[in-house]
Amino acid sequence: MKAITFRPMWIRLVCMVFSCMLIISCFQSLDARASGITISIPNSSFEDAGTGIPHWTTHPTYGQNTATVSSERAYTGLNSMKMVDTSSTASLARVSEKVSVTEDEEYTASVFAYIEQGSVDVWLIFYNGTTETIVPHTGVTPTLNQWTKRSITAKAPTGTTQVAVMVYSSLTTVTTAYIDDVSIGQTVKNAGFEDSLSNTWTVSSGAAVSTVQKAGGTYSLKLDDSSPTTASTAESSKVTVFTGTRVGATAKIYPSSGSGLSIHLLFKNSAGTVIKDSANDFTGTASQWTPVSVSATAPTGTASVSIYLTTGTTTSMVAYVDDVTLDRPIEYNLGTQIMNNPLDVAVFGKDASGNTDLMYVGSSGFPSKLVVYDARTGELLDDRDLMVDPNNTKIEAVWGMTVATDKSLYLGTANKKTMFRYLPGTVGTVNGQKVITGSSLVPITLQTGMDVIWDVTAGSNGKVYGGTSTDGKAFQYDPTGGTVVLNSGLPIVSGLDFVRSIAYASDSEVYMGMGPTSNATIIRFNPTNGTQTTISPPNYGSKFVNRLDYISNGSASRVFAQLSAGPTLVLDSTTGAIASSLSDIDSRGVSMKHPSDDKVFYTKGNSLYSYDISSAAELNLGDVGGSAAGYTYLTDAGNTYLYAALKSGKILKYKLAATPTIDTTTSFVIPESVTKIRSLVKGPADNIYTSGYLLGGMGVYNPDTSEEKRYKGAGQAENMTTLGNNLYLGIYPGAWIKKYDTTSTWNDTTNPSLLFQDIDDAPYKQDRPFGMLAEPSMNRLYVGSVASSGNNKGSFTVYDLSTSQQVTTINDIVYHQSVISLAYKNNKVFGGTSVYGGISSTVDATEGKVFVWNTTGANSTPVPQFVPAPGRKVISDLIVGPDGKIWGLAEGNSSGNSSHDTTADLFIIDPNNPDAAHTTVYPDKFSSIPVSWQGGKMVVGNDGNVYVSVGAKLYAVDANSANKDAVSLIGAGVTLLTTDKYGDLYYVKHEINLYKYDK
């Protein structure tokens, strides 16, 4: 008897038969369906960590006693069961408590397993009194080092009263695995039609088992509707289900002729009366097996559910049905998708003894890291995750580092008002390996408004100075006296909200690079009396001074100002006059002055350069193989060397002499950190693609094989879109539009390749391409973007992929709003806007709008536009719904209606009459949270529902209901949303993990 066949990639395996009472086949998949309508198993998630493994026992035939409750890993909750099978001649098993079941019903058991080596399988043990009927299962080789599901389905033999789940590692397998979320549940009888239809399916005339077509096994169900007015129907056995339970059903359909088949979920009360009928029509290709699915939530009063298949009464049809499933959807965690190990900033110092030279590296991630090395050898001495107590809040980025005069290291970080102080211990040798002991890492919390600490610099007597945003404040920190805000709690210059860079000259002279503004501004500030002067460099269109370095050189002291756009300026520290303008410096600032020469050093590309302060001469010193992130000078055998940490993972050792030497033979390795997920999309080959926050990188998940791939580079994609084999990425900052050819090797230099940069001229300079839409009929790419910091004029660009040319760009297409969502229907592009522009820009619009761009005819300026949802600030998503209309999400309160503060609207536009009069609004449909650009997302499911991720929740919307009824599926933590070809949903939780909702 064939029970259930899962997705077509998986191999069906015939189980061993331990009893003549049971003839069964069972199937396993790393992506198996959920366990039907589940039955409660005591301690199924191993959260009860009492003596032994509470509610789980060994088996007299199959067990070593080497399984424990562990907090090392968990699929959900805090604990799992760790199984360590160290023997290749003995097995290991654990058996759940028995639960009551019904004879001759079919049951599916599943576990989530994280397997580090070997393999584990799930078995069923049916009980008739003391008699056991064991259904074993030997699965395919599992995917290692990720949570996957392993399942088995079997029919309870006649006389069965109870069942238990056994998790098993075989005689010959050496295994280390973690088990979590064990489940067992009932499913429909004869799901593969391998048995007689009698007592399993209720069918009409024209419905019978057949061998003509089958998706698996020997038989399928044939529905033969020869009369267009008489439907051919089949209804499954009923399964007990309770009010509020989400249920999904799927069947594979092979249409031989005609059309009109649909699949239904029939929810019945205790009297057997249908109280809800949820349906979805089959739309697959003739003479090909295609799945059709339906899902719904059991209404009040539900006692059971069954699957109903019908050919309809308007057309004749012959179709074959196989591999039916009835599931309770399950959410499971696919884990982190993107890893990076960037070298963001490096500085050099000494250990506590003063005998060992240290190199400190700040590496952004989630959490970010501080990594400590021996500066001369590259040996790793310490590796610290940057977390903020008491909640272990993860730091997202390291922006600035400096070593104070007392050897303390300070780190300026992103978003959490936190500066860290690291006091190095002493380097010694233990078992032949260098280690540093006695170090401490202490977070220092700044006041509100000093959220991002962009830069820190060392002053005198152990003090440090720092620049922050979002209130444009600078501070002095003294470890003996605490933090002092230098500018009395107000921005030093009105409107300049970022102190992006800072450099110490003396206790009475500190330089600050301010922004955002149309022209970079430098303030010379006296911390002792609060006086200041302004230095305004020539206007290169720079909004920030990204880096400031003060180089003490007597009367010829200089300030090196690295602009966000344009050159690095060398300024006379006394007059502010420009001594030199240096182009293309891409290192993190410049080195301190050489101890015996007037030179400073920096890199351009992979080349090391020197700049002579006295003569203003610049010299290319040669290829060093990477860009520098930090510098020091060290003495070796009486010679002075420039040491630099290179982003290539090398330590540069350069000797300035008559015959200079360059040495980059010493390497260091930065440990990888998890990267937050910024965007999510179903892409080429139906894979699921994720892009990383800040650091970029890409994760690729294959729904058929559960295979994951990880790539570094390409930048932070605010959104992505797909056409053919290409994935198009909208990269922040600078609104770089890139193309990733998924049929070619990823290399981050030519693939993804740059197509164009979306508008780089002030005041229309763009940064964030949230609106990304590839449309195949004209082979065009449409891009909507948010302007750069300080600007509120978004843009809309049309790019021809056939000619590789920008067709047009409309700047400020909706006055002073950003373009963040796009959809296409009937030769029109619909664009949704946000009233919010770039960071620190003025908000002077009140309501988000939809504009309509005609792709085939002429467009007037301004283009037609309207407010689809009055009182809302952000149109966070637009899609083509299952009814062919434009569905949209509207968030944010601009009306003063207090209900709008925590809710979002659904609206539907008639694409043939796109205006406010032909738009239907369903107000306050969903929960919401504050949003500026990246808000809710929607997808149309294979089952005809619309699924919505908004306000940290996941919803299902019944598209056929008059009020577009919505039910919450996942109640917290959800962002982003896409779907695979099977209709299963993918979203992000905890900011770094990709989750799947298996419908």
Side-chain angles (χ1 to χ4, degrees):
M1 179 188 75
K2 177 173 177 289
I4 297 178
T5 299
F6 300 112
R7 304 226 165 115
M9 291 297 292
W10 305 112
I11 302 172
R12 187 167 63 92
L13 300 172
V14 179
C15 294
M16 300 165 59
V17 178
F18 275 56
S19 169
C20 62
M21 297 172 61
L22 183 65
I23 303 174
I24 186 170
S25 296
C26 63
F27 305 86
Q28 187 273 341
S29 169
L30 297 182
D31 186 24
R33 287 286 182 179
S35 305
I37 310 305
T38 56
I39 303 167
S40 177
I41 296 176
N43 203 19
S44 61
S45 292
F46 307 99
E47 296 306 300
D48 184 350
T51 303
I53 306 177
H55 304 286
W56 288 77
T57 62
T58 58
H59 191 279
T61 306
Y62 302 101
Q64 304 174 64
N65 193 23
T66 53
T68 57
V69 174
S70 171
S71 60
E72 297 173 52
R73 297 186 187 277
Y75 178 70
T76 59
L78 300 176
N79 299 329
S80 64
M81 177 172 66
K82 184 177 183 180
M83 301 180 70
V84 182
D85 178 3
T86 59
S87 174
S88 59
T89 59
S91 59
L92 170 61
R94 283 294 177 274
V95 182
S96 74
E97 279 196 8
K98 301 172 187 176
V99 292
S100 298
V101 291
T102 305
E103 62 182 357
D104 299 322
E105 298 288 351
E106 292 196 358
Y107 294 89
T108 296
S110 295
V111 304
F112 285 91
Y114 189 103
I115 303 172
E116 293 181 346
Q117 63 173 337
S119 181
V120 291
D121 290 294
V122 56
W123 293 14
L124 284 171
I125 306 177
F126 293 102
Y127 297 90
N128 181 350
T130 58
T131 303
E132 292 185 355
T133 301
I134 299 178
V135 183
H137 182 227
T138 303
V140 296
T141 301
T143 302
L144 300 181
N145 298 316
Q146 68 180 58
W147 287 103
T148 55
K149 188 190 290 183
R150 303 180 77 76
S151 301
I152 183 174
T153 298
K155 184 168 73 174
T158 302
T160 293
T161 59
Q162 293 177 305
V163 69
V165 179
M166 186 167 81
V167 185
Y168 176 69
S169 172
S170 70
L171 286 171
T172 58
T173 302
V174 175
T175 296
T176 301
Y178 299 83
I179 307 299
D180 207 352
D181 285 7
V182 181
S183 62
I184 186 169
Q186 186 182 349
T187 189
V188 297
K189 296 179 180 178
N190 197 16
F193 306 103
E194 301 298 298
D195 286 347
S196 167
L197 295 178
S198 177
N199 299 319
T200 60
W201 286 81
T202 301
V203 297
S204 68
S205 60
V209 294
S210 171
T211 59
V212 175
Q213 300 291 342
K214 58 270 188 184
T218 304
Y219 299 96
S220 67
L221 173 68
K222 181 180 181 181
L223 297 177
D224 188 347
D225 173 10
S226 57
S227 169
T229 59
T230 303
S232 181
T233 65
E235 184 179 353
S236 74
S237 59
K238 66 181 181 180
V239 173
T240 300
V241 68
F242 302 103
T243 297
T245 301
R246 189 73 183 177
V247 179
T250 300
K252 292 178 182 174
I253 309 297
Y254 186 99
S256 180
S257 64
S259 61
L261 186 143
S262 60
I263 183 172
H264 300 244
L265 285 172
L266 302 182
F267 294 94
K268 301 178 182 180
N269 60 20
S270 57
T273 303
V274 176
I275 58 175
K276 182 177 180 179
D277 180 351
S278 295
N280 188 33
D281 296 331
F282 174 75
T283 57
T285 305
S287 302
Q288 176 178 309
W289 285 105
T290 306
V292 61
S293 62
V294 62
S295 59
T297 301
T300 301
T302 297
S304 67
V305 67
S306 59
I307 300 171
Y308 181 70
L309 298 155
T310 177
T311 57
T313 58
T314 58
T315 60
S316 59
M317 184 178 193
V318 176
Y320 299 87
V321 181
D322 208 350
D323 297 351
V324 178
T325 67
L326 177 66
D327 299 330
R328 180 174 175 174
I330 278 189
E331 174 195 45
Y332 57 98
N333 183 1
L334 301 176
T336 58
Q337 300 297 296
I338 305 168
M339 302 289 288
N340 278 291
N341 57 344
L343 198 176
D344 292 309
V345 55
V347 294
F348 293 81
K350 295 275 191 180
D351 76 337
S353 71
N355 296 321
T356 302
D357 296 295
L358 303 179
M359 180 176 74
Y360 298 105
V361 167
S363 181
S364 296
F366 198 67
S368 298
K369 285 182 176 291
L370 164 64
V371 194
V372 185
Y373 304 88
D374 184 310
R376 296 178 183 271
T377 66
E379 293 170 275
L380 179 65
L381 302 176
D382 202 357
D383 175 6
R384 300 288 188 102
D385 288 339
L386 299 180
M387 312 281 278
V388 182
D389 292 329
N391 300 316
N392 283 335
T393 302
K394 298 175 181 177
I395 294 297
E396 299 174 2
V398 179
W399 295 130
M401 290 170 57
T402 193
V403 174
T405 57
D406 63 0
K407 299 190 182 71
S408 298
L409 170 76
Y410 289 86
L411 300 95
T413 65
N415 301 340
K416 303 299 187 294
K417 299 183 295 184
T418 302
M419 177 174 68
F420 287 88
R421 183 188 185 198
Y422 178 83
L423 283 78
T426 301
V427 175
T429 302
V430 177
N431 297 325
Q433 183 173 352
K434 282 185 180 178
V435 295
I436 189 168
T437 57
S439 301
S440 64
L441 181 67
V442 180
I444 300 163
T445 303
L446 304 185
Q447 68 181 40
T448 299
M450 302 170 77
D451 305 311
V452 181
I453 305 170
W454 288 107
D455 199 11
V456 286
T457 186
S460 64
N461 301 318
K463 299 184 185 71
V464 293
Y465 296 81
T468 75
S469 63
T470 55
D471 285 350
K473 298 176 183 177
F475 66 89
Q476 177 201 83
Y477 176 78
D478 186 335
T480 63
T483 305
V484 175
V485 177
L486 298 182
N487 45 321
S488 303
L490 297 173
I492 293 175
V493 178
S494 178
L496 300 183
D497 298 328
F498 290 39
V499 182
R500 191 66 178 265
S501 53
I502 191 163
Y504 172 86
S506 71
D507 288 349
S508 60
E509 188 177 6
V510 176
Y511 293 84
M512 304 174 189
M514 306 293 294
T517 182
S518 59
N519 184 34
T521 300
I522 301 170
I523 301 297
R524 184 193 290 116
F525 187 79
N526 186 335
T528 62
N529 58 24
T531 60
Q532 65 185 53
T533 56
T534 300
I535 302 172
S536 298
N539 192 343
Y540 295 97
S542 294
K543 293 184 177 299
F544 300 102
V545 181
N546 284 347
R547 177 72 182 172
L548 284 171
D549 292 292
Y550 177 81
I551 306 300
S552 178
N553 195 33
S555 61
S557 295
R558 297 288 184 259
V559 175
F560 287 73
Q562 197 169 23
L563 305 181
S564 59
T568 295
L569 301 178
V570 185
L571 307 175
D572 186 298
S573 65
T574 302
T575 66
I578 298 175
S580 296
S581 176
L582 306 174
S583 62
D584 301 324
I585 295 178
D586 58 5
S587 58
R588 183 177 175 84
V590 303
S591 73
M592 60 291 293
K593 189 177 72 69
H594 192 280
S596 59
D597 200 285
D598 278 354
K599 292 182 174 61
V600 296
F601 300 87
Y602 46 86
T603 58
K604 298 182 181 185
N606 291 334
S607 295
L608 179 68
Y609 280 74
S610 67
Y611 173 82
D612 190 296
I613 295 173
S614 300
S615 66
E618 184 182 39
L619 181 64
N620 186 338
L621 304 175
D623 191 340
V624 295
S627 176
Y631 316 84
T632 194
Y633 294 100
L634 298 177
T635 301
D636 186 4
N639 295 308
T640 299
Y641 290 86
L642 170 74
Y643 274 68
L646 302 179
K647 292 188 176 182
S648 59
K650 303 286 188 180
I651 296 175
L652 167 66
K653 183 179 177 183
Y654 173 79
K655 183 172 72 171
L656 178 64
T659 305
T661 61
I662 292 175
D663 181 353
T664 57
T665 57
T666 302
S667 300
F668 61 98
V669 177
I670 302 173
E672 288 193 325
S673 296
V674 175
T675 298
K676 291 172 63 174
I677 296 174
R678 182 63 169 180
S679 55
L680 168 69
V681 69
K682 181 179 78 171
D686 293 311
N687 290 328
I688 306 300
Y689 293 81
T690 51
S691 176
Y693 174 70
L694 286 181
L695 306 171
M698 179 166 287
V700 185
Y701 176 79
N702 185 322
D704 287 325
T705 65
S706 296
E707 180 186 11
E708 295 178 352
K709 296 179 180 178
R710 293 173 175 173
Y711 303 115
K712 291 182 172 66
Q716 171 183 311
E718 303 287 47
N719 200 359
M720 300 180 284
T721 187
T722 302
L723 188 59
N725 292 321
N726 296 323
L727 186 69
Y728 297 93
L729 295 80
I731 302 297
Y732 166 85
W736 293 60
I737 310 302
K738 294 185 178 183
K739 180 184 77 172
Y740 171 38
D741 180 353
T742 60
T743 63
S744 299
T745 302
W746 175 285
N747 60 25
D748 191 35
T749 52
T750 59
N751 191 33
S753 59
L754 179 65
L755 292 185
F756 64 97
Q757 187 175 7
D758 187 27
I759 313 305
D760 57 2
D761 295 325
Y764 300 109
K765 184 174 177 62
Q766 302 295 297
D767 252 358
R768 302 176 185 270
F770 281 105
M772 295 288 292
L773 173 67
E775 201 287 307
S777 66
M778 298 183 70
N779 200 30
R780 285 185 171 177
L781 180 66
Y782 300 93
V783 178
S785 52
V786 178
S788 60
S789 298
N791 292 331
N792 59 9
K793 301 176 177 66
S795 73
F796 172 72
T797 296
V798 182
Y799 184 86
D800 192 313
L801 295 169
S802 300
T803 63
S804 299
Q805 297 291 324
Q806 286 180 241
V807 176
T808 189
T809 293
I810 307 297
N811 297 314
D812 210 19
I813 189 168
V814 174
Y815 181 73
H816 286 191
Q817 297 201 34
S818 302
V819 182
I820 60 171
S821 54
L822 299 171
Y824 174 88
K825 181 69 177 179
N826 294 350
N827 296 321
K828 302 181 186 73
V829 173
F830 296 81
T833 70
S834 167
V835 302
Y836 299 99
I839 292 174
S840 298
S841 64
T842 300
V843 178
D844 53 19
T846 57
E847 294 175 300
K849 294 184 177 182
V850 167
F851 66 85
V852 184
W853 176 265
N854 187 344
T855 63
T856 58
N859 287 279
S860 59
T861 303
V863 299
Q865 53 190 258
F866 61 96
V867 175
R872 296 297 192 177
K873 293 182 177 181
V874 180
I875 309 303
S876 52
D877 200 22
L878 296 170
I879 65 167
V880 179
D883 54 3
K885 296 181 178 180
I886 301 298
W887 288 44
L889 281 176
E891 303 181 66
N893 182 11
S894 63
S895 66
N897 180 353
S898 60
S899 68
H900 278 19
D901 292 338
T902 57
T903 62
D905 296 346
L906 172 69
F907 63 86
I908 299 179
I909 301 169
D910 180 354
N912 297 312
N913 300 282
D915 55 32
H918 294 87
T919 299
T920 304
V921 181
Y922 301 87
D924 304 322
K925 179 62 66 175
F926 312 107
S927 296
S928 184
I929 55 179
V931 59
S932 296
W933 311 309
Q934 191 178 67
K937 296 290 184 182
M938 299 185 290
V939 295
V940 179
N942 290 3
D943 54 8
N945 293 319
V946 174
Y947 292 90
V948 183
S949 163
V950 64
K953 296 182 179 180
L954 178 66
Y955 295 87
V957 178
D958 184 348
N960 295 317
S961 62
N963 294 320
K964 301 299 179 275
D965 298 333
V967 293
S968 176
L969 304 180
I970 306 295
V974 176
T975 57
L976 305 176
L977 184 64
T978 193
T979 182
D980 66 17
K981 62 185 176 183
Y982 303 111
D984 292 326
L985 306 175
Y986 296 80
Y987 45 89
V988 176
K989 289 183 76 175
H990 315 304
E991 301 187 273
I992 58 175
N993 293 327
L994 180 65
Y995 273 70
K996 180 176 182 178
Y997 187 81
D998 190 337
K999 299 196 283 100

